[in-house]
Amino acid sequence: MLSDVNTLQWLYGSMFKSRYYEECMEKAYLEGKQPVFNMANGPVPGEMHLSNGQEPCAVGVCAHLNADDAVFATHRPHHIAIAKGVNLKAMTAEIFGKKSGLSGGRGGHMHLFDPTVNFACSGIIAEGMGPAAGVALARKLRNEPGIAVAFIGEGAANQGAFHETMNLAAVWKLPFVCIIEDNAWGISVSKTDATSVPRNDVRAASYGIPGEYIEGNDPLAIYDAAERAIKRARSGQGPSLIEIETYRLAGHFMGDTEAYRPEGEKDELFSKDPIPKFRKHLLESGTLDETGLKKIEEAMYKEVDDAFEFARSAAEPEPIEALEKVFA
Amino acid sequence: MSTVKRKLTIAKAISESISLEMEADENVFVMGEDIAKLGGVFGTTTGLLDKFGPERVRDTPISETAFIGAAVGAAAVGMRPIVELMFVDFFGVCMDAIYNLAAKNCYFSGGNQPIPMVLMTSVGGGYGDAGQHSQCLYGTFAHLPGMKVVIPSNAYDAKGLMHTAVVDNNPVIFMLHKNLQGMGWLGTEKKSIVDVPKEIYGVPFGKAAIVRKGKDITLVGLGVTVHMALDAANKLEKEGVDAEVIDLRSLVPLDRETIFNSVSKTGRLLVIDDDYISYGVTGEIISSVAEQDSSVFKTSPQRIAYPDIPIPFTRPMEQFALPNKDKIFNTAKEMMEGK
Ligand SMILES: Cc1ncc(C[n+]2csc(CCOP(=O)(O)OP(=O)(O)O)c2C)c(N)n1
């Protein structure tokens, strides 16, 4: 069991930062969209998929990664981007569509690219699988350090790209890890209604690789499982598959009424919120006292507030810039 | 036809139309992501699950290659599947089932195995959803032979075109524009919400509608650009320009005759499309008139369409790239002035 205080602090701080980031994003997103909700309005238009509740998946895995290691995330990318160390100011400016954003405002919340830390995400389900395997292949061919991790949702594990890439990565023994964030829902369709097996870790057997299922949305258990898989990848033994039980505490996207959820499900999930739970664990285990925790939290508030301040005050791009960057 | 009419959004007209078709023919069934319990992300299948049950109204896994391929197979043996895939941008993952199977099997089988299926999707941007959730791709599907391609601009046409699509013996790509559908989470063009009869009726494919008569210039649009053209025409009228506006309604088959007849009368052609400009709808319309008789043109035909760039997220860039009524007005005025 993990005992390194710095790592424990980082796990908590990163989860806390991520949650506070989403809370600020939710407020910013709703500006201009009330009383009548219209996705086109406000400082952040378009779809918005928040990651509240899924923070343990991001931190438990990214704690083991360096800038050399590539991460491919999904349409729900903020927690993973934050844990991977994506430039928070430039990321926020991108989501606000500003010139100083990661892509000058061309990508937006579903298309965040920070090559300096090898992070990318996209909006088509399971689309990150192939590119992640490709980075892993390049690392292997060039004998470079670095592995690749693809994060997908449990709904994406029914896509062709998932199965094809798992087989490819396995047959080529690529330094690759697939992380499935199982929040039990793909928009309104439950995992039970969409997936032929209760847990996707069993599918690892069909690729001849290790598979694990991690219950409880617990950052420490995730940390341990990710360590095993990432060690295996780094030592040339090939890919692994990890599915993590996690909770989507927000709607699929903002504006989702979540009428498809069974009565009481949300309340139960909120009662298991991983962040207060982990905070309690740190206190009770004597890892950090209240003062120590507050200090971390204050630092995170500041970092996030600064990023939003930066994004809000940043300049808009010129309209004509739309025509640039189509080709390299 | 009875006189009972109500104003409906396109989404409501579509769900009503599908419901009537399912009542009329038990071979009709619906499948897609979030179409059953949720009633479709765009509300085009609302109420169908309650009415027809989970056998005929099926939520699918996120496995487009499988369920669109499955629709081709079911259609081959006489079912009439209506398949929904929320955004046209997602068709990349399952394109083979569409353009190599659905579109070609009739021909490959010498006409012995038609594929009567409807593939329904949503298109268009303008609300900051970025480059994988805002495309139109009309031209892409219309270019590939073997599929009919339909784009209604209002609820009346939507319901009638859906009837025609379901009874057609061929694959039909049914494209609904997000600015017109009438979902709770996005604004809706008011002119798309019109009177819709309760009963089944058909609107034929390949018959463009002249939605505004005029003598000076022909504005051709489809889906949302029809409404932009109508708005521009109202503005042009104040400047003494009498514009005719044509709603294509279907791209395959394309009503070249109505367009040609209009341009023969006005001598001026401006085509407006929110799909990518090159190798697309606008070029096809202009060349179809030019190759019939280029002497009808009093001035060079013009087009306004999306530049050849992926769709940017940020509002200033996206609005810059989209067609709008001012761009249409300005270009039309220049054409009238012979510039
Ligand atoms: C190929 C493709 N099909 C459908 C969609 C629409 N879509 C967006 S998110 C989503 C559900 C994804 O569920 P899951 O993978 O479990 O991730 P979660 O949203 O739960 O994080 C769907 C169907 C898409 N973006 N791409």
Side-chain angles (χ1 to χ4, degrees):
Chain A
M1 179 85 134
L2 176 68
S3 61
D4 177 59
V5 177
N6 285 339
T7 309
L8 288 165
Q9 286 190 6
W10 182 86
L11 292 174
Y12 180 69
S14 188
M15 288 207 295
F16 189 88
K17 191 200 310 186
S18 180
R19 178 67 60 85
Y20 180 57
Y21 189 86
E22 298 298 49
E23 287 166 1
C24 294
M25 188 56 72
E26 177 171 358
K27 280 196 202 107
Y29 184 77
L30 287 174
E31 284 169 31
K33 296 188 183 72
Q34 286 165 325
V36 182
F37 186 82
N38 181 338
M39 204 174 263
N41 297 337
V44 182
E47 286 172 68
M48 177 54 63
H49 311 83
L50 298 178
S51 63
N52 307 39
Q54 302 190 191
E55 300 88 353
C57 313
V59 300
V61 174
C62 292
H64 302 284
L65 302 179
N66 315 309
D68 286 341
D69 300 319
V71 163
F72 289 81
T74 67
H75 56 287
R76 198 180 305 288
H78 300 168
H79 56 318
I80 304 167
I82 288 170
K84 187 67 175 60
V86 169
N87 181 323
L88 201 65
K89 286 183 173 166
M91 165 173 151
T92 314
E94 182 62 29
I95 297 170
F96 276 74
K98 299 299 180 71
K99 193 175 165 73
S100 50
L102 289 168
S103 317
R106 291 176 187 81
H109 132 91
M110 282 190 271
H111 310 284
L112 301 169
F113 289 79
D114 189 349
T116 59
V117 295
N118 283 296
F119 178 88
C121 64
S122 82
I124 304 289
I125 300 308
E127 204 176 31
M129 291 291 295
V135 172
L137 174 64
R139 296 286 192 250
K140 185 173 157 138
L141 287 176
R142 295 201 297 220
N143 235 327
E144 286 172 353
I147 64 155
V149 178
F151 283 83
I152 59 171
E154 90 293 334
N158 298 317
Q159 253 317 356
F162 166 77
H163 296 280
E164 294 181 25
T165 307
M166 289 316 300
N167 178 66
L168 186 87
V171 77
W172 287 350
K173 278 201 158 189
L174 298 180
F176 170 72
V177 178
C178 176
I179 303 289
I180 303 176
E181 294 181 84
D182 174 14
N183 62 19
W185 293 95
I187 311 185
S188 72
V189 180
S190 70
K191 187 186 193 185
T192 347
D193 285 345
T195 309
S196 60
V197 288
R199 294 181 169 188
N200 281 300
D201 61 326
V202 303
R203 288 174 162 178
S206 62
Y207 315 114
I209 62 168
E212 282 198 66
Y213 189 89
I214 312 299
E215 287 177 31
N217 207 16
D218 172 11
L220 296 177
I222 298 165
Y223 181 90
D224 289 346
E227 183 168 38
R228 290 188 283 278
I230 290 168
K231 267 201 180 133
R232 200 179 120 83
R234 289 204 198 287
S235 62
Q237 296 174 75
S240 309
L241 175 63
I242 299 176
E243 184 167 49
I244 302 169
E245 181 195 12
T246 191
Y247 321 133
R248 196 189 77 202
L249 297 178
H252 170 72
F253 53 33
M254 296 231 19
D256 177 6
T257 56
E258 298 184 80
Y260 46 83
R261 293 232 195 215
E263 184 88 20
E265 183 177 278
K266 270 316 256 303
D267 294 337
E268 201 212 319
L269 293 183
F270 277 116
S271 76
K272 297 192 290 191
D273 188 332
I275 296 181
K277 209 166 143 189
F278 192 52
R279 190 181 200 279
K280 195 159 164 252
H281 165 79
L282 293 176
L283 274 173
E284 284 173 358
S285 61
T287 314
L288 282 161
D289 59 12
E290 194 59 45
T291 321
L293 285 164
K294 284 260 162 62
K295 214 175 121 193
I296 295 175
E297 290 162 3
E298 289 308 321
M300 296 308 153
Y301 284 138
K302 176 149 176 22
E303 194 183 336
V304 172
D305 287 342
D306 286 352
F308 274 80
E309 177 53 38
F310 174 84
R312 282 181 188 278
S313 55
E316 301 261 355
E318 291 302 321
I320 191 98
E321 289 176 53
L323 305 180
E324 298 168 9
K325 313 287 184 193
V326 178
F327 294 105
Chain B
M1 200 177 287
S2 93
T3 51
V4 183
K5 288 179 181 171
R6 313 103 332 139
K7 287 208 190 307
L8 294 187
T9 60
I10 285 184
K12 291 220 168 76
I14 290 290
S15 60
E16 179 172 286
S17 185
I18 295 174
S19 177
L20 290 169
E21 301 307 327
M22 290 181 77
E23 277 169 20
D25 181 352
E26 63 188 20
N27 289 309
V28 179
F29 72 104
V30 190
M31 59 179 166
E33 292 155 24
D34 304 281
I35 60 102
K37 244 199 274 176
L38 193 71
V41 167
F42 303 100
T44 45
T45 53
T46 303
L48 299 178
L49 176 66
D50 287 345
K51 211 158 169 190
F52 299 101
E55 286 295 316
R56 291 179 74 195
V57 182
R58 310 182 77 91
D59 271 335
T60 62
I62 311 171
S63 310
E64 292 87 3
T65 305
F67 71 78
I68 294 179
V72 176
V77 294
M79 300 290 285
R80 290 185 177 268
I82 300 174
V83 189
E84 207 264 0
L85 183 49
M86 26 185 122
F87 290 76
V88 77
D89 315 67
F90 305 165
F91 281 42
V93 299
C94 51
M95 198 59 186
D96 186 65
I98 300 168
Y99 88 115
N100 268 330
L101 286 178
K104 291 178 182 163
N105 277 5
C106 178
Y107 191 79
F108 287 163
S109 66
N112 292 320
Q113 195 170 86
I115 306 295
M117 65 183 268
V118 181
L119 197 46
M120 182 165 76
T121 187
S122 291
V123 303
Y127 63 103
D129 220 5
Q132 291 180 338
H133 290 78
S134 302
Q135 300 175 93
C136 292
L137 306 185
Y138 310 129
T140 304
F141 290 91
H143 177 68
L144 298 164
M147 298 174 268
K148 301 194 175 175
V149 179
V150 180
I151 304 117
S153 71
N154 62 67
Y156 178 90
D157 287 353
K159 181 171 172 180
L161 288 167
M162 181 52 83
H163 168 73
T164 308
V166 174
V167 299
D168 198 289
N169 280 331
N170 298 286
V172 178
I173 312 293
F174 208 102
M175 302 173 120
L176 297 165
H177 201 286
K178 277 167 258 167
N179 298 353
L180 306 179
Q181 275 180 100
M183 300 96 64
W185 46 274
L186 204 61
T188 303
E189 164 61 55
K190 296 267 176 324
K191 296 196 290 306
S192 68
I193 304 171
V194 298
D195 285 337
V196 177
K198 281 199 163 157
E199 308 75 0
I200 290 188
Y201 59 89
V203 168
F205 292 172
K207 278 307 301 164
I210 298 173
V211 290
R212 188 186 197 280
K213 278 210 164 300
K215 59 178 185 354
D216 296 330
I217 183 167
T218 302
L219 308 178
V220 176
L222 71 173
V224 77
T225 70
V226 172
H227 299 283
M228 296 173 186
L230 284 168
D231 293 343
N234 287 339
K235 227 176 129 185
L236 285 164
E237 187 180 294
K238 298 191 183 103
E239 307 267 325
V241 178
D242 186 15
E244 181 144 301
V245 179
I246 294 178
D247 178 351
L248 291 173
R249 298 201 286 200
S250 68
L251 286 177
V252 181
L254 178 63
D255 185 358
R256 298 174 200 271
E257 195 185 325
T258 296
I259 303 163
F260 182 80
N261 290 343
S262 175
V263 182
S264 316
K265 179 176 72 178
T266 64
R268 296 178 185 88
L269 173 61
L270 172 56
V271 191
I272 311 105
D273 180 15
D274 51 340
D275 190 12
Y276 306 122
I277 190 163
S278 297
Y279 308 98
V281 173
T282 54
E284 182 63 28
I285 303 287
I286 291 170
S287 65
S288 78
V289 176
E291 69 193 356
Q292 194 166 335
D293 181 1
S294 64
S295 72
V296 299
F297 292 124
K298 293 180 188 154
T299 182
S300 301
Q302 298 293 322
R303 52 182 166 160
I304 295 170
Y306 211 89
D308 296 320
I309 57 169
I311 294 169
F313 160 70
T314 191
R315 191 177 288 128
M317 292 190 202
E318 189 186 18
Q319 292 303 322
F320 164 82
L322 281 166
N324 60 41
K325 73 165 191 289
D326 296 330
K327 289 184 185 178
I328 302 169
F329 174 83
N330 292 335
T331 305
K333 284 239 3 203
E334 283 172 15
M335 290 172 73
M336 293 307 299
E337 288 155 11
K339 276 189 205 157

